[in-house]
Amino acid sequence: MSVQLNNEFGTIEMSNDVISTVVGGAATEIFGIVGMASRKHVRDGINEILNRDNYSRGVEVRQEDQGIVVDVYIVVSYGTKITEVSKNVQERVRYQLEHDLGIVASSVNVYVQGVRVQNDM
């Protein structure tokens, strides 16, 4: 599936993998994020942290009547304020989508799939 944008020059079609890579990269830059989690954690295993090649398994993009809806599945670091980290992810994802791809998301939903203790060595 892909997202279509219309402008005065024609139509731009972006695949969900492109959008997922931008969203995953933006989300993992936030302090307190351990990594991306699979949206189908029962099948894929909740312990798996997705790498850059698999961000599409941790991001769901839907085009609805009111606009683009993005669902982001993350694992946060133990000891961080989950609500604040989630809010930062929402803001950063919205900014990156608009800045990099010209997409305005109608909503960015964050699903915390787990909490991990980070070893600071």
Side-chain angles (χ1 to χ4, degrees):
M1 191 167 172
S2 61
V3 173
Q4 291 186 349
L5 301 172
N6 297 315
N7 62 22
E8 65 272 8
F9 302 113
T11 301
I12 301 170
E13 188 171 326
M14 285 183 258
S15 76
N16 284 355
D17 287 341
V18 171
I19 297 169
S20 296
T21 301
V22 170
V23 169
T28 54
E29 290 178 356
I30 302 295
F31 175 79
I33 298 293
V34 175
M36 300 292 295
S38 175
R39 65 182 180 267
K40 298 177 181 159
H41 65 276
V42 173
R43 185 187 73 185
D44 294 337
I46 194 163
N47 293 330
E48 182 182 7
I49 300 292
L50 302 176
N51 59 22
R52 189 171 295 272
D53 296 333
N54 296 328
Y55 282 163
S56 61
R57 288 177 33 209
V59 176
E60 186 175 343
V61 180
R62 298 185 310 277
Q63 190 164 11
E64 296 182 351
D65 294 338
Q66 64 270 26
I68 305 298
V69 177
V70 180
D71 296 335
V72 184
Y73 296 82
I74 59 172
V75 176
V76 298
S77 178
Y78 178 79
T80 58
K81 189 172 182 181
I82 294 174
T83 55
E84 197 63 33
V85 171
S86 298
K87 179 179 169 245
N88 290 341
V89 169
Q90 288 175 318
E91 291 173 354
R92 181 65 181 206
V93 166
R94 276 184 188 274
Y95 172 79
Q96 286 301 131
L97 284 175
E98 191 168 340
H99 181 265
D100 293 351
L101 302 178
I103 296 174
V104 178
S106 62
S107 69
V108 176
N109 304 311
V110 177
Y111 298 93
V112 179
Q113 298 290 82
V115 176
R116 286 251 178 111
V117 177
Q118 290 293 98
N119 294 334
D120 294 330
M121 292 184 180

